[in-house]
Amino acid sequence: MTGSPLDALLECELARFGETHPRSRALAADARRSLLGGVPMHWMVRWPGGFPVFAAEAAGARFRDVDGNEYVDFCLGDTGAMAGHSPAPTVRAVTEQAARGITLMLPSKDALRVADELARRFGLPLWQFALTATDANRFAIRLARAVTGRPRILVFNWCYHGTVDETFATLADGRVVARAGNLGPPVPLDQTTRVVEWNDAEALERELAHGDVACVLAEPALTNVGIVLPEPGFHDALREATRRHGSLLIVDETHTLCAGPGGYTSAHGLEPDILTIGKAIGGGIASAAYGFTEEVAARVQAAIPEDESDVGGVGGTLAANALSLAAMRATLGEVLTDEAFARMIALGERFEHGVQAAIDAHALPWHVTRLGCRVEYLFRPDPPRNGSEAAAGADQFLDRLIHLYALNRGILLTPFHNMALISPATSAEDVDRHTGVFAAAAAEIAAPG
């Protein structure tokens, strides 16, 4: 594509970004003195403009950078701010709780209130808390191994479950190997993990038949390689096979909470043994939870002697801290309500229809997929059936171009792929603004050279 009109368009967008973000550029250069790569988390080096935007303030569905540019935020902290930035009930709750105490290593009333609300939403009766979905998944895996006596887990190719060691695995010629970029895996991944393609019930059956899988860890739909939805009957096959082979089913709703107040589990009647969730439920305050069925909870309690309950690799000094629980109580009770989700999902449909209309108008070989209030467009003609198809159909050049094009016009999408998330604060005007920017980009990309 060197020397093509699209190269020229990218160069124009890069120049525009540099001209409109001088203070961010200066801060990025200064940050190299004390931050690895000049960023507080190393993946931030991949922002498409050559240096990251430095944020100054955020509220609702918008934020402002240090150069005074304002953006409609469809990234929303990659789900961490799905409740909107600094929602008033959450701010009020954490302000009041901070004055009363932040962390004590003791239960608070909010722990009961949050657990009851999670049970109502997801249908699992008993809960524990963590600070991140990664931790919730790690703890759930440990407990699954403890109660089943089995060593391995099973995940789906191109899944994402945070920074859990066992999940950075993929398939190469039928063998389980580490994903590209997996830093310092502690052991070869084929010792800990079995991997199958999403929507492949036959492969799932084959791998579970080994009898060594403690648990299947699954998002209800793949969300980090584009949105890859389950085919009809796949979740039924997954649930039946795990039960028959004695493997626990852990459903990770961290991203798929977008499907409704009780995530995909409630919206589609899933029956997990354990459910994990993080990010959005604390309104941006570090928060996570994992819930159990009565039967699994009884097995977990039987497997943990009381005098060893603090040394099993499950827990954390700051887990279930009072501040996080206050944030969860307010966010779940007053922000991410049933009514809010109805509005968010309707706006997700509006976003999807706007993108599809632009794709159709310019006859582009792209597609758009929606799951509740989460929407994503990929630069391939048909929705992929599994993670491998989604990864093979990725176009990093177009990802960068579209993301930068939108950023230069006041729209923030999730980096590395073009995902948009709707918050309770997002408006129809925000959605239509994206539609206009996307349509303009599509017109320029479709224009003959």
Side-chain angles (χ1 to χ4, degrees):
M1 203 172 282
T2 302
S4 73
L6 291 187
D7 279 320
L9 178 58
L10 178 60
E11 289 304 314
C12 286
E13 295 301 322
L14 286 167
R16 177 172 175 169
F17 180 77
E19 291 168 1
T20 54
H21 296 83
R23 296 186 67 188
S24 281
R25 184 198 291 275
L27 284 169
D30 192 42
R32 292 186 177 278
R33 290 184 299 104
S34 54
L35 295 172
L36 178 66
V39 288
M41 286 191 290
H42 197 258
W43 60 259
M44 290 181 179
V45 300
R46 283 193 62 193
W47 283 100
F51 57 88
V53 170
F54 277 69
E57 58 183 347
R62 293 174 179 265
F63 78 96
R64 189 182 301 274
D65 69 21
V66 293
D67 289 289
N69 302 303
E70 185 175 279
Y71 305 83
V72 177
D73 189 356
F74 288 105
C75 172
L76 295 171
D78 193 12
T79 310
M82 192 175 96
H85 295 292
S86 300
T90 306
V91 171
R92 183 170 58 251
V94 298
T95 301
E96 293 171 355
Q97 184 59 52
R100 294 195 300 265
I102 294 171
T103 188
L104 299 97
M105 286 187 71
L106 294 168
S108 67
K109 289 182 180 178
D110 282 338
L112 282 70
R113 296 169 69 179
V114 174
D116 284 345
E117 176 62 11
L118 292 170
R120 181 191 74 82
R121 288 178 181 236
F122 294 102
L124 286 87
L126 296 163
W127 291 82
Q128 294 277 273
F129 297 102
L131 285 177
T132 68
T134 291
D135 279 349
N137 284 323
R138 288 196 304 108
F139 301 159
I141 290 168
R142 276 184 172 268
L143 294 171
R145 285 178 168 143
V147 303
T148 63
R150 295 177 174 185
R152 285 186 168 85
I153 74 166
L154 185 148
V155 297
F156 294 96
N157 207 14
W158 291 93
C159 66
Y160 185 72
H161 299 284
T163 55
V164 176
D165 285 331
E166 295 94 328
T167 64
F168 284 95
T170 190
L171 294 170
D173 299 321
R175 297 178 299 108
V176 175
V177 298
R179 285 259 296 264
N182 186 9
L183 297 172
V187 297
L189 271 294
D190 62 356
Q191 294 182 19
T192 63
T193 310
R194 296 190 178 279
V195 181
V196 301
E197 294 288 1
W198 184 244
N199 283 319
D200 190 339
E202 183 178 336
L204 175 69
E205 176 68 29
R206 182 186 67 241
E207 294 303 312
L208 289 178
H210 291 280
D212 59 358
V213 173
C215 61
V216 174
L217 176 59
E219 288 188 285
L222 299 183
T223 63
N224 214 55
V225 65
I227 298 172
V228 185
L229 299 173
E231 294 179 343
F234 181 67
H235 273 295
D236 291 336
L238 171 59
R239 180 66 279 192
E240 191 280 327
T242 49
R243 283 180 172 146
R244 180 161 38 83
H245 289 287
S247 300
L248 298 182
L249 175 59
I250 305 173
V251 168
D252 181 351
E253 288 275 14
T254 300
H255 283 174
T256 52
L257 178 62
C258 61
Y264 199 101
T265 292
S266 178
H268 296 273
L270 304 189
E271 298 178 356
D273 297 301
I274 304 175
L275 185 144
T276 61
I277 189 166
K279 290 192 179 182
I281 60 173
I285 301 293
S287 309
Y290 51 113
F292 311 87
T293 62
E294 293 274 8
E295 189 267 336
V296 171
R299 293 171 68 183
V300 167
Q301 287 190 288
I304 305 175
E306 185 173 326
D307 59 356
E308 297 175 4
S309 60
D310 62 332
V311 294
V314 173
T317 305
L318 296 180
N321 70 79
L323 193 71
S324 291
L325 285 160
M328 284 187 270
R329 182 250 304 159
T331 303
L332 293 171
E334 302 179 64
V335 185
L336 292 176
T337 61
D338 294 8
E339 295 77 17
F341 268 101
R343 182 175 169 277
M344 291 154 66
I345 291 170
L347 287 176
E349 293 174 350
R350 186 185 186 104
F351 189 107
E352 177 190 21
H353 295 157
V355 170
Q356 188 64 59
I359 291 172
D360 293 344
H362 299 286
L364 288 163
W366 304 347
H367 77 273
V368 58
T369 304
R370 181 180 61 84
L371 178 60
C373 62
R374 180 183 297 265
V375 190
E376 179 131 13
Y377 37 90
L378 270 72
F379 305 117
R380 51 170 287 149
D382 301 311
R385 181 173 183 262
N386 56 44
S388 289
E389 288 184 8
D395 188 320
Q396 291 189 6
F397 180 91
L398 285 178
D399 279 343
R400 184 185 188 194
L401 176 58
I402 288 281
H403 196 286
L404 186 58
Y405 192 99
L407 194 64
N408 279 337
R409 290 154 183 82
I411 299 286
L412 182 70
L413 300 165
T414 301
F416 323 138
H417 54 128
N418 297 297
M419 186 274 288
L421 196 62
I422 308 298
S423 79
T426 305
S427 68
E429 291 75 20
D430 294 334
V431 170
D432 293 345
R433 180 173 173 183
H434 170 270
T435 298
V437 169
F438 179 80
E444 292 207 53
I445 291 168

